Amino acid sequence: MTDFEKINIRGVNFLNVTLDEAAAVGAKMLSGDRVCTVFTPNSEIVQLCIEQNEYYDLYNSGDMVVPDGAGVVKAAKILGKPLKGKVAGVELGEKMLEYCAKSGDSAFFLGAKPGVAEEAAK
């Protein structure tokens, strides 16, 4: 789906992109003909994978996995595999909503309890 490098940090394969690059990848996903998944793990999620190995398969199955947290970015640098930077899930979501507004694509909000999705849509 992309030509960007993937960097393995403690077993999780992160796409090495900036926020704008991730948004461009997301836009390309929206123009495709299949459902895609985007995961935004932070350092706590990486630690969860280390402690409960079954989560590796889940997170590494994403079409786009980006580092949502300074801890992941710092770990990458310490391990000698620097990432371009943090790609916060909320910021990526906002960029994708902007893209949808401009392109006429729709967005679906799913909430955990009554009223959450409706509030998010506002």
Side-chain angles (χ1 to χ4, degrees):
M1 173 147 304
T2 74
D3 294 327
F4 293 102
E5 173 186 24
K6 287 188 179 179
I7 295 184
N8 185 294
I9 304 300
R10 304 291 316 266
V12 178
N13 298 312
F14 290 93
L15 199 60
N16 193 13
V17 291
T18 64
L19 175 60
D20 288 337
E21 290 168 340
V25 171
K28 191 181 280 189
M29 288 176 176
L30 286 175
S31 66
D33 60 354
R34 67 180 188 87
V35 174
C36 296
T37 56
V38 176
F39 298 126
T40 61
N42 57 21
S43 57
E44 290 83 4
I45 296 298
V46 173
Q47 186 62 34
L48 175 69
C49 291
I50 292 166
E51 293 171 2
Q52 298 180 40
N53 292 171
E54 61 272 18
Y55 284 101
Y56 281 122
D57 288 339
L58 171 67
Y59 283 99
N60 286 325
S61 72
D63 294 290
M64 179 166 51
V65 181
V66 293
D68 186 355
V72 173
V73 174
K74 188 166 283 227
K77 185 175 181 180
I78 290 168
L79 293 170
K81 304 174 183 180
L83 290 162
K84 292 180 180 179
K86 175 179 135 179
V87 179
V90 67
E91 293 173 3
L92 179 56
E94 288 171 347
K95 288 216 174 256
M96 296 313 304
L97 289 172
E98 289 172 13
Y99 172 82
C100 288
K102 290 177 186 173
S103 68
D105 287 316
S106 60
F108 177 78
F109 291 91
L110 176 66
K113 55 186 175 180
V116 173
E118 293 81 7
E119 190 62 31
K122 289 179 190 175

